Amino acid sequence: IIISIFISFLTYFFNVIGFILNPAGIEITLSFFKEASSQRTNYLELMMLPILWLFVGLGEELLFRAGIYRSLRDSFSGNISLIITSIIFVILHPISITNSLVMFIISMSYGFYFEYKNNLLTITIAHMFQDLMIAGIGSFSAAYTANIIVSFFK
């Protein structure tokens, strides 16, 4: 979980840098959250976000760690299995080069922990926290921070 928190902050940092390099993303992200808090919000969709954050982490860990990694582990070494699983994880999360690197590090970290402890529950909880930080709180605060930085230098 400590690794997940560290990676969340690392991801936040890379997101701020990404927003600074592409300021159009700031307005898109801030507009999304502004609209989500307005009266026009479809509250059913808003209520689905926590459910998605819970089940996406669980589903991905079942697929990648319990499924793909274990299947590859039957044929390859742990390190090769981790690398292949992490590459597949990154390919299925195409966001940007920076985020792909972070996703690879996250996947490798979770994979090393799974290889060492064989504990899917801890990784799943860390993944859920990670998704919350990246997709929810993290992207809003990164866009907000980048907006302040970009505005300062205008």
Side-chain angles (χ1 to χ4, degrees), residues 35-50:
E35 184 177 320
S37 65
S38 74
Q39 294 295 348
R40 296 174 292 172
T41 301
N42 180 343
Y43 289 101
L44 182 59
E45 289 177 8
L46 203 54
M47 290 170 40
M48 290 298 292
L49 288 176

Side-chain angles (χ1 to χ4, degrees), residues 62-138:
L62 287 172
L63 173 65
F64 289 100
R65 250 46 80 194
I68 295 171
Y69 175 76
R70 280 190 177 155
S71 294
L72 289 170
R73 191 68 173 94
D74 291 340
S75 302
F76 301 101
S77 71
N79 290 337
I80 298 295
S81 300
L82 283 174
I83 291 168
I84 293 171
T85 302
S86 296
I87 289 171
I88 293 169
F89 184 79
V90 168
I91 289 170
L92 295 176
H93 291 84
I95 299 171
S96 69
I97 299 292
T98 306
N99 281 339
S100 294
L101 177 61
V102 172
M103 291 290 203
F104 185 79
I105 293 167
I106 291 168
S107 182
M108 290 293 289
S109 300
Y110 291 168
F112 280 125
Y113 184 84
F114 184 70
E115 173 72 20
Y116 179 69
K117 293 284 188 176
N118 198 25
N119 184 336
L120 196 60
L121 179 62
T122 302
I123 295 171
T124 301
I125 292 169
H127 192 142
M128 290 173 185
F129 176 77
Q130 183 74 34
D131 286 346
L132 178 63
M133 288 303 296
I134 291 173
I137 299 164

